[in-house]
């Protein structure tokens, strides 16, 4: 079920996969370093994350802003979106219930900084980042934002006032 959801495949519980599904399976299992015992738990976490983001227009917009890839309200994710989702859910210690609020807060902070050049410039200077006026942040810069908004003591109003 999770595999079918994320890869737009139609694997059955029994029987032989068709040529398309076989190709998909080979492309996943044939990836250098593939390890089924580590892949399956991450597949489950990734599918759950996708299920949480997909029905929410807010989370979809947040994800697109911060990762530069859209997630549609229906169907399976694109290869780019699936790769980003696996990157998130496959991070050591990933916790979806903590991640989604951090995603929301990070998106709010990042979109404000994109609108206000002076705050963005101050942030870039203080944190050694290079946040752009448009487009998604680099993975490194996104990590800085997530570390700030993921701090349990993060106060959006106080942080914004400090810029």
């Amino acid at each position: 079920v999770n595999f079918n959801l994320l890869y737009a495949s139609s694997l059955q519980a029994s029987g032989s996969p068709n040529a398309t599904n076989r190709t998909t399976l080979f492309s996943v299992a044939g990836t250098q370093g593939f390890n089924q015992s580590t892949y399956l738990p991450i597949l489950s976490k990734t599918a759950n994350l996708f299920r949480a983001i997909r029905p929410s227009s807010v989370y979809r917009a947040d994800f697109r802003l911060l990762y530069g890839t859209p997630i549609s309200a229906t169907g399976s994710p694109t290869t780019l979106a699936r790769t980003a989702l696996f990157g998130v859910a496959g991070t050591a210690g990933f916790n979806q219930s903590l991640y989604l609020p951090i995603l929301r807060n990070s998106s709010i902070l990042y979109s404000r900084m994109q609108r206000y050049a002076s705050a963005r410039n101050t942030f870039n200077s203080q944190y050694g980042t290079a946040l752009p006026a448009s487009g998604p942040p680099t993975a490194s810069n996104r990590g800085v934002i997530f570390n700030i908004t993921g701090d349990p003591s993060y106060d959006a109003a106080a942080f914004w006032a400090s810029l």
Side-chain angles (χ1 to χ4, degrees):
V1 173
N2 290 336
F3 191 89
N4 288 343
L5 174 68
L6 294 173
Y7 291 91
S9 59
S10 56
L11 292 173
Q12 301 299 312
S14 63
S16 298
N18 65 30
T20 302
N21 289 332
R22 219 176 10 258
T23 299
T24 303
L25 283 169
F26 288 155
S27 73
V28 171
T31 304
Q32 186 174 1
F34 176 79
N35 180 322
Q36 183 177 339
S37 64
T38 56
Y39 172 77
L40 291 176
I42 295 169
L43 174 69
S44 179
K45 289 179 181 182
T46 302
N48 288 336
L49 177 60
F50 179 61
R51 285 184 186 100
I53 292 173
R54 185 172 60 176
S56 169
S57 62
V58 172
Y59 285 152
R60 288 194 318 269
D62 292 345
F63 197 86
R64 182 179 191 147
L65 176 67
L66 292 167
Y67 292 90
T69 183
I71 292 180
S72 68
T74 60
S76 295
T78 64
T79 300
L80 189 60
R82 185 176 55 247
T83 300
L85 289 163
F86 267 97
V88 171
T91 302
F94 173 75
N95 181 324
Q96 182 174 306
S97 64
L98 297 175
Y99 173 78
L100 292 172
I102 294 169
L103 175 69
R104 178 87 273 259
N105 287 335
S106 295
S107 177
I108 291 167
L109 176 61
Y110 185 60
S111 65
R112 285 189 80 188
M113 285 193 286
Q114 285 189 315
R115 286 192 310 264
Y116 298 102
S118 63
R120 184 177 61 253
N121 293 337
T122 300
F123 183 92
N124 284 337
S125 177
Q126 288 179 354
Y127 292 94
T129 57
L131 299 179
S134 63
T138 64
S140 174
N141 289 336
R142 184 175 53 245
V144 171
I145 295 168
F146 273 65
N147 284 338
I148 291 167
T149 63
D151 185 319
S153 65
Y154 174 69
D155 178 325
F159 185 81
W160 188 254
S162 73
L163 299 177

